[in-house]
Amino acid sequence: MNLARLTLALMGALLFGGAQAHAESLQVQPALVDVVAPGAASTITLRNDGQTPSNVQIRVFRWSQADGQESLLPTQDVVASPPGATLQPGADYVVRIVRVAKRPIASEEAYRLLVDELPDASRAKTGTVRLLVRHSIPVFFSSPERTPPAVDWTVSKQDGRLIVSAHNKGSTRLRVSALSLRDAGGHKISFGGGLVGYALGQSTMRWTAPAGGRKFAAKGSISIAGQGGQGNDGAIEATAPVVAAP
């Protein structure tokens, strides 16, 4: 499963013209699960802030990055208990996340917990499009001996777009947000103030800048700035060479 397909196809609602769209209020806390060995379990809390019961499905996938792309694969190493639930309005529901694999953790294992709201045909109404919700929660199981992120950055140009590559030689993920690029001529591109993504340990991840980069230098180096760290802390300040497109 490619992460680019994780977002539900809500644009289909536009096909209904004047139909009204309603989304349920499914909340998930926390937004990230991080368990350090010898710990092997944690919990999340689901809450239905809507007015009617909501059925949800809860699944865990192994999360990896290769050649700048992310993928999710089925796993039996980590399970969610229970794998599904009916959430009553205004009620909290606790789900356990358990690593059942017996092998020791070498550094850091990355997973994604998907919490999907399921459709209920009995509540469908004519002229109304009900938007289903999906939450994708990062889950990490780590060794106390894990090494911190150590990222080499590069930038390339392809069809007028800038592509930023982060090669993480450390064993711990780097969370990247508020990313921006500036070349020697003062041209700047921002990825916005929010989360850009993660560079997982011992992996390479690539992101394409949201705006055109035709004015950016095709050679030399580019300054990279942003916020990073395992959580939301730490500044990213790096200089990246401009390389051939991947």
Side-chain angles (χ1 to χ4, degrees):
M1 180 187 299
N2 191 291
L3 280 184
R5 300 175 183 173
L6 289 183
T7 304
L8 297 182
L10 301 184
M11 292 302 293
L14 297 178
L15 299 177
F16 291 84
Q20 294 181 337
H22 297 279
E24 297 297 327
S25 299
L26 172 62
Q27 307 297 325
V28 181
Q29 293 292 335
L32 180 147
V33 175
D34 190 4
V35 181
V36 179
S42 186
T43 62
I44 62 168
T45 300
L46 312 182
R47 183 174 179 83
N48 177 11
D49 285 338
Q51 302 300 314
T52 57
S54 179
N55 297 316
V56 296
Q57 181 183 45
I58 307 149
R59 296 172 293 165
V60 182
F61 291 86
R62 186 65 185 262
W63 176 19
S64 63
Q65 296 173 340
D67 298 324
Q69 301 295 321
E70 298 187 309
S71 63
L72 298 180
L73 295 175
T75 182
Q76 295 181 345
D77 293 342
V78 176
V79 298
S81 178
T86 298
L87 308 181
Q88 298 301 321
D92 291 343
Y93 198 92
V94 176
V95 177
R96 297 187 75 234
I97 312 301
V98 184
R99 184 181 185 271
V100 296
K102 300 305 180 183
R103 67 180 183 277
I105 299 174
S107 53
E108 182 173 79
E109 297 176 354
Y111 301 87
R112 282 276 178 175
L113 178 74
L114 302 188
V115 182
D116 287 302
E117 183 187 15
L118 300 179
D120 186 348
S122 67
R123 289 156 54 191
K125 296 181 180 179
T126 303
T128 299
V129 178
R130 183 163 173 259
L131 307 183
L132 301 181
V133 175
R134 165 172 285 177
H135 289 270
S136 177
I137 309 299
V139 177
F140 300 98
F141 289 90
S142 307
S143 165
E145 289 77 32
R146 61 185 176 181
T147 59
V151 176
D152 290 334
W153 299 87
T154 57
V155 176
S156 61
K157 295 185 69 173
Q158 186 175 28
D159 299 328
R161 291 279 187 174
L162 290 180
I163 301 172
V164 182
S165 298
H167 175 56
N168 186 356
K169 298 177 293 184
S171 61
T172 304
R173 81 276 181 183
L174 176 71
R175 184 182 190 275
V176 181
S177 61
L179 193 65
S180 65
L181 312 175
R182 184 188 297 272
D183 69 5
H187 301 110
K188 183 177 181 180
I189 285 182
S190 172
F191 284 71
L195 176 67
V196 176
Y198 288 82
L200 299 180
Q202 301 294 317
S203 302
T204 298
M205 186 57 197
R206 288 194 288 266
W207 301 283
T208 301
R214 296 187 183 278
K215 295 182 179 180
F216 263 67
K219 58 182 179 180
S221 60
I222 288 178
S223 297
I224 296 178
Q227 292 295 312
Q230 296 179 31
N232 233 343
D233 55 338
I236 296 174
E237 295 180 355
T239 301
V242 179
V243 300

